[in-house]
Amino acid sequence: GATEIGRLLELDKSTVFKLLYTLEQRDYVLKTESAKYCLGYKFKNYGNIVSERQNLVDVAKPFMHALYEQLHETVCLAELNTNGKAIVTALMEGDTPKHVKSRVGYEMGSYDNANGKLLLANLSDHMQHEILSRIHLAPRTPHTIVSRDVLEQELKTRRGRLWVEQYEEYRLNHADIACPVFDMDGHVTAALSVACTPDYLRENHQLIAEALLHASTRISRKLGFYGKPFAMIDGSPDTP
């Protein structure tokens, strides 16, 4: 923390805080949840030490919390695991009466929710085919896609979109919308999503989508991605 840095550099604590604040604002250092500091991605040219120490969850949590404070719905960060499932790696559970419940470590299929579809859609053709060949398309609700051809066609239309959403495919009275999080090389490394009721998502779609896209973009910048997001539809973000 700042105290240890001050001791090592023989600087007073207030000076250290000012320096760290400036470095953090410019993405040279990252402040973790435990008030420790590690190198940011602006130092990417200095070797693999940054990627080894950087933690996606540490980067995402402040923005997830801000999103939760704005919407009071469940905010989820998910990554695709080696089994082709979307696993929840960070969560801010909503506090509304009908909020969607989940937990860190929970595994979801990659075909019946917004997180999984976004991550699956943006894999290489080879990796996507490998995963699709191994998963069973179980009909969780009457709205779940169980045809592989239909799913593959949908994934084609979802690739490169700024957000992906689903309504009641995973669970009745459940909807979610996800935006991509990019790593420093411009690859989709995670999905940031808001889960809520279908009615709430329909009634507040623009508000949620814009807030979610803003948060995912800020996280991507903290991870070192300064390029242009990969999809614009007629000059504007993806629409349903």
Side-chain angles (χ1 to χ4, degrees):
T3 301
E4 183 181 1
I5 293 172
R7 180 181 61 81
L8 293 171
L9 297 178
E10 298 182 351
L11 295 173
D12 63 86
K13 200 170 183 178
S14 63
T15 300
V16 172
F17 272 121
K18 290 177 183 177
L19 290 171
L20 287 172
Y21 177 80
T22 300
L23 291 170
E24 183 183 5
Q25 293 302 304
R26 297 182 181 181
D27 297 331
Y28 283 101
V29 300
L30 168 71
K31 187 176 182 180
T32 69
E33 271 199 319
S34 58
K36 302 292 185 181
Y37 293 86
C38 61
L39 293 178
Y41 271 90
K42 282 285 186 72
F43 283 107
K44 65 181 181 179
N45 293 326
Y46 290 91
N48 294 328
I49 186 171
V50 176
S51 60
E52 292 172 357
R53 292 185 178 179
Q54 185 71 292
N55 187 311
L56 173 60
V57 173
D58 284 334
V59 172
K61 275 196 170 180
F63 302 102
M64 294 176 67
H65 183 74
L67 199 55
Y68 157 77
E69 288 288 335
Q70 180 181 357
L71 302 174
H72 294 279
E73 297 290 349
T74 298
V75 181
C76 172
L77 184 74
E79 299 175 66
L80 205 62
N81 67 14
T82 55
N83 295 321
K85 292 186 177 182
I87 183 169
V88 178
T89 53
L91 185 77
M92 296 284 176
E93 191 167 303
D95 58 12
T96 61
K98 296 182 180 180
H99 74 270
V100 174
K101 296 182 179 181
S102 189
R103 59 178 173 80
V104 173
Y106 183 70
E107 288 187 344
M108 303 171 283
S110 53
Y111 66 95
D112 56 9
N113 60 87
N115 292 297
K117 286 187 177 185
L118 185 146
L119 294 168
L120 192 56
N122 289 289
L123 291 176
S124 67
D125 291 338
H126 174 73
M127 291 182 67
Q128 186 184 110
H129 177 76
E130 284 293 312
I131 290 175
L132 289 176
S133 68
R134 290 188 273 115
I135 63 175
H136 171 61
L137 304 181
R140 294 184 177 275
T141 77
H143 307 287
T144 308
I145 295 176
V146 293
S147 164
R148 194 171 306 278
D149 289 340
V150 173
L151 178 60
E152 288 179 348
Q153 185 59 41
E154 181 181 6
L155 292 175
K156 286 181 181 179
T157 65
R158 296 298 185 183
R159 175 175 288 181
R161 302 294 180 120
L162 287 179
W163 60 67
V164 171
E165 60 198 21
Q166 68 80 28
Y167 294 89
E168 299 190 293
E169 293 182 44
Y170 176 69
R171 185 185 303 154
L172 292 177
N173 203 34
H174 172 284
D176 59 345
I177 177 171
C179 287
V181 174
F182 298 93
D183 64 17
M184 57 192 284
D185 296 315
H187 301 132
V188 177
T189 189
L192 182 69
S193 67
V194 171
C196 55
T197 65
D199 286 344
Y200 184 82
L201 181 54
R202 291 188 180 98
E203 292 167 5
N204 301 277
H205 188 279
Q206 183 173 352
L207 170 68
I208 297 172
E210 289 180 353
L212 189 60
L213 182 59
H214 177 72
S216 65
T217 300
R218 294 288 302 280
I219 295 170
S220 298
R221 284 181 63 87
K222 288 291 184 181
L223 292 176
F225 177 70
Y226 290 88
K228 185 177 180 181
F230 53 21
M232 300 294 281
I233 304 298
D234 295 329
S236 61
D238 180 22
T239 54

